[in-house]
Amino acid sequence: MENIYLYTAGGLSILWCCVHFFVGGKEIAKPLRAVSGLSPVQRSVAWMCWHMVTFNLLLMGVFFIAGTQLEEIGLVWAATALSVSFLVAGLLIPPLSNVSYRAAPQGWLFLPTTLLGGLALFA
């Protein structure tokens, strides 16, 4: 099942993981740890969630690529489901939080990976 869609989705997912880790680490995770208005438990949980997103982005990329190399459709389904979940959360949370997509555009990053995963599964 070698598929350019899955290699592209995997590469994009790993790229988003790197952006999340390096850019988001400096702009989000580091300041989050310093926020004095949060309790230590709130800070700890938010920081843990940030790391969980990092690992899930990496796994999504690995699943897309491994799914095509190992011909394991289950990995492709898992990666696509992760992408859909990030897409939906990323598109719903900004308007529900009164934040513009200009300030929080991250959800849109998962439209290409979701579409690519869907094309690989259904084309």
Side-chain angles (χ1 to χ4, degrees):
M1 171 174 51
E2 246 181 77
N3 192 316
I4 190 68
Y5 297 139
L6 297 178
Y7 285 119
T8 304
L12 283 173
S13 299
I14 292 169
L15 174 63
W16 301 156
C17 178
C18 291
V19 169
H20 175 79
F21 184 79
F22 292 107
V23 177
K26 186 175 15 172
E27 292 182 7
I28 304 297
K30 186 176 178 182
L32 179 66
R33 295 287 293 161
V35 173
S36 60
L38 298 176
S39 74
V41 172
Q42 291 169 322
R43 259 195 321 272
S44 176
V45 170
W47 197 47
M48 178 186 64
C49 289
W50 184 85
H51 281 84
M52 291 166 74
V53 169
T54 305
F55 289 123
N56 275 280
L57 291 171
L58 180 61
L59 279 177
M60 187 169 55
V62 168
F63 285 179
F64 274 127
I65 293 167
T68 191
Q69 289 182 339
L70 301 173
E71 296 186 13
E72 288 289 338
I73 196 74
L75 292 174
V76 177
W77 276 105
T80 304
L82 281 170
S83 186
V84 167
S85 71
F86 280 113
L87 174 67
V88 171
L91 294 184
L92 289 179
I93 290 172
L96 292 174
S97 303
N98 293 319
V99 174
S100 72
Y101 288 124
R102 177 176 232 159
Q106 295 87 337
W108 294 104
L109 297 175
F110 300 97
L111 183 60
T113 52
T114 298
L115 291 174
L116 289 164
L119 283 170
L121 289 168
F122 299 110

